[in-house]
């Protein structure tokens, strides 16, 4: 069968009302007649509203098939589907997803195109179709469509024949690679094949590399979700819910930081935590009031059968002040199992550990792990503090660095005190800043781990990339709520601080947002935990809103949820997808 271009569809982005918000989207396409010039980034008259998920050189033209239109007309019982309805630029007769391969090249009219990736699942196709489930249905029924890169610009017109010029290496179809990323059951061989296709877009290459990095014995070896969200790459938690841990020691570390050493209440060894993970605890104030739920990085040596968390006491930090004032040796703290994906990766390449203030805690655990292994890796320890009184673990970190054969350290004090010794306590009287990073000559093949204030991490990350590190090798940890990801939503970056939702309080199970420090009774007015978080102005990340893309996957510290609809692939053990779940009992979320 000869494939044919049956319609050319274009449309500029516009604002559309949706769920009380405004979406800026280019999903609304209209069919045009006559020849149209196809350029490197767009067809003349076309545009994309969200260049983070659509558009760009690798996603210049979206293709969808007439056969899929016929399928959806029957499946959805619709008789109103017209070309462009699925947001595609080219409606074609032929070129099914189960036959077209990544890297295939096609000539249409004067232009030459190359297949780069399947369509990215997104809520906006559901918005255009008036069918919220559409993103999930496209994946579940193996009809995603695909993107083209423009190799040679030129004019195209409906009615022209589509001529195949060459087949992509590995002959991996659009349908197959879509299954690898979004559905369970892929093999390592499939992932390796995908990575041998030069035409595969960089975003999908990154996802495939993440899948490949998962060992064969881990969930990621057969689960696509590990390539969609790093939360899916974490090992299963050591226990479900919260369990009591006994405080065995309380140790001051600086003027504002103290550590709690914790052991199992029954004396057994606690499950090993990965260097860089955190512990979530319930802080119970005196009186008949609900506990406060907070997360603190594990700062001690991993694998000892006990844990150490370190707490910075903030002037208005209710939980930190409560712990400092009332925690005693012998007390019991309810704790969830260690979590987090900010973890030291194995390898023999250099390691950069950079921190400011209390951000030292997770990277200190990494330094402990390297010292325990007698690692011969090149290690750089860079830390910034105000002065010696606000420099926790100073002696401890010096001893660990001295035990490593290829380690070096530079300490920065922004305002050294009179008692602080230049060349002994600190090396530079300045902040650890982006400007300082650029002059250090750091190894460009290193993995860098950063923790500290948001401005510090943003500036240092940019400096590391400018110094030659690949951005994929720069790993960051954020204390508190993370950044939001709300594709296409206008004004989403100006949200208020987290708060109780408007209207009467709910009567359902309590939902605790651990990072935001907010406890909210569930209200059936919300369709999902994601909607509840949005009603509280809690920063959230999502894309499909139907249980496909795993962008919203995060740790469930305790409790259980029910799904509606069921996700295309379940989340990792101990995680949930908040876009399509409701609590069936009280839950604690890492959000």
């Amino acid at each position: 069968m000869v494939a044919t271009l049956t319609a050319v569809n274009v449309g500029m982005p516009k604002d559309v009302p949706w769920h009380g918000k405004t979406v800026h989207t280019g999903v609304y396409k209209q069919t045009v007649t006559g020849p149209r010039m196809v350029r490197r980034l767009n067809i003349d008259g076309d545009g994309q509203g969200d260049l983070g998920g659509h558009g760009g050189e690798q996603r210049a033209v979206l293709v969808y098939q007439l056969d899929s239109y016929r399928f959806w007309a029957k499946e959805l019982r619709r008789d109103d589907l017209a070309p462009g309805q699925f947001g595609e630029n080219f409606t074609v007769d032929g070129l099914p997803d189960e036959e077209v391969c990544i890297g295939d090249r096609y000539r249409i009219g004067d232009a030459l195109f190359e297949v780069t990736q399947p369509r990215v699942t997104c809520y906006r196709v559901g918005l255009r179709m008036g069918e919220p489930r559409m993103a999930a249905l496209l994946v579940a029924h193996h009809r995603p469509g695909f993107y083209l890169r423009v190799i040679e610009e030129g004019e195209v017109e409906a009615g022209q024949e589509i001529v195949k010029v060459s087949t992509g290496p590995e002959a991996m179809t659009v349908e197959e690679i879509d299954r690898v990323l979004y559905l369970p059951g892929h093999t390592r061989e499939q992932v390796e094949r995908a990575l041998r296709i030069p035409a595969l877009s960089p975003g999908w290459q990154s996802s495939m590399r993440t899948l490949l990095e998962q060992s064969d014995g881990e969930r990621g070896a057969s689960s696509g979700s590990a390539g969609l969200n790093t939360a899916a790459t974490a090992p299963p938690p050591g226990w479900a819910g919260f369990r009591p841990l006994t405080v065995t020691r309380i140790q001051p570390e600086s003027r504002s930081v103290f550590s709690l050493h914790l052991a199992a209440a029954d004396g057994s060894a606690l499950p090993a935590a990965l260097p860089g993970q955190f512990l979530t605890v319930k802080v119970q104030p005196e009186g008949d009031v609900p506990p406060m739920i907070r997360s603190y990085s594990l700062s001690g040596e991993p694998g000892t059968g006990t844990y150490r968390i370190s707490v910075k006491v903030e002037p208005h930090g209710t939980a930190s002040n409560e712990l400092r004032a009332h925690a005693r040796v012998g007390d019991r703290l309810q704790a969830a199992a260690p979590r987090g994906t900010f973890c030291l990766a194995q390898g023999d390449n250099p390691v950069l550990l950079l921190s400011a203030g209390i951000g030292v805690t997770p990277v200190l655990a990494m330094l402990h792990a390297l010292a325990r292994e007698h690692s011969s890796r090149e290690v750089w320890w860079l830390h910034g503090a105000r002065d010696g009184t606000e420099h926790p673990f100073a002696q401890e970190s010096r001893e660990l660095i001295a035990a490593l054969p290829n380690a070096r350290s530079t300490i920065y004090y922004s305002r050294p005190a009179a008692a602080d010794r230049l060349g002994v306590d600190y090396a530079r009287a300045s902040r650890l800043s982006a400007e300082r990073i650029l002059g250090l000559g750091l190894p460009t093949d290193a993995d860098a781990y950063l923790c500290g204030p948001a401005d510090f991490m943003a500036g240092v990350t940019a400096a590391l990339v400018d110094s030659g590190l690949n951005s994929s090798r720069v790993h960051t940890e954020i204390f508190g709520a993370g950044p939001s990801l709300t594709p296409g939503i206008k004004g989403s970056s100006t949200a208020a601080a987290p708060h109780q939702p408007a209207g009467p309080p709910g009567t359902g199970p309590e939902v605790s947002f651990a990072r935001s420090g907010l406890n909210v009774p569930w209200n059936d007015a919300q369709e999902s935990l994601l909607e509840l978080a949005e009603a509280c102005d809690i920063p959230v990340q999502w894309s499909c809103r139907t249980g496909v893309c795993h962008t919203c996957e995060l740790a469930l510290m305790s409790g259980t949820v029910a799904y509606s609809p069921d996700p295309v692939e379940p989340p990792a053990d101990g995680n949930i997808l908040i876009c399509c779940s409701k609590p069936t009992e009280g839950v604690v979320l890492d959000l």
Side-chain angles (χ1 to χ4, degrees), residues 49-107:
D50 170 28
L51 294 178
H54 307 279
E57 183 177 353
Q58 302 294 325
R59 299 170 297 201
V61 177
L62 180 59
V63 177
Y64 211 53
Q65 306 91 349
L66 278 180
D67 182 61
S68 288
Y69 269 88
R70 290 186 282 267
F71 173 85
W72 293 119
K74 181 178 179 181
E75 179 74 16
L76 301 175
R77 299 181 181 179
R78 299 271 294 264
D79 60 4
D80 61 340
L81 302 183
Q85 190 96 23
F86 288 84
E88 81 277 10
N89 301 113
F90 288 171
T91 311
V92 301
D93 192 6
L95 302 187
D97 292 337
E98 67 268 22
E99 293 181 11
V100 171
C101 299
I102 305 298
D104 282 0
R105 291 192 172 190
Y106 296 93
R107 184 169 292 281

Side-chain angles (χ1 to χ4, degrees), residues 318-470:
T318 309
S320 60
N321 278 282
E322 176 69 26
L323 284 172
R324 182 168 67 173
H326 299 293
R328 298 291 184 268
V329 172
D331 286 354
R332 291 191 175 184
L333 276 180
Q334 294 290 326
R339 305 271 189 160
T341 58
F342 180 70
C343 301
L344 179 66
Q346 296 296 314
D348 55 11
N349 62 312
V351 177
L352 313 180
L353 303 176
L354 304 98
S355 58
I358 192 58
V360 68
T361 51
V363 293
L364 180 65
M366 297 180 186
L367 188 63
H368 267 290
L370 292 164
R372 182 174 184 173
E373 297 166 1
H374 305 289
S375 175
S376 60
R377 298 172 74 173
E378 183 181 351
V379 177
W380 292 64
W381 176 262
L382 307 173
H383 177 70
R386 180 186 177 93
D387 57 31
T389 67
E390 294 291 359
H391 183 187
F393 315 109
Q395 183 59 32
E396 183 176 330
S397 59
R398 281 194 289 265
E399 291 172 357
L400 292 170
I401 292 161
L404 290 165
N406 296 307
R408 63 187 73 185
S409 170
T410 305
I411 303 300
Y412 300 80
Y413 283 179
S414 60
R415 295 183 182 179
D420 296 329
R421 299 164 294 173
L422 180 64
V424 178
D425 300 311
Y426 67 101
R428 298 284 187 274
S430 70
R431 294 183 182 275
L432 172 52
S433 62
E435 293 74 18
R436 293 292 182 184
I437 295 296
L438 289 170
L440 289 175
L442 299 174
T444 58
D445 60 338
D447 274 300
Y449 300 88
L450 287 68
C451 191
D455 290 347
F456 162 79
M457 289 195 292
V460 171
T461 296
L464 290 171
V465 173
D466 289 345
S467 296
L469 266 72
N470 189 297

Side-chain angles (χ1 to χ4, degrees), residues 232-249:
T233 66
W239 63 83
F242 286 79
R243 63 178 285 188
L245 301 182
T246 301
V247 178
T248 60
R249 184 183 175 194

Side-chain angles (χ1 to χ4, degrees), residues 152 157 309-310 312 320 374 455 459 474 556:
E152 295 177 8
E157 187 173 1
I309 59 173
S310 299
K312 182 178 181 182
S320 60
H374 305 289
D455 290 347
V474 181
L556 175 65

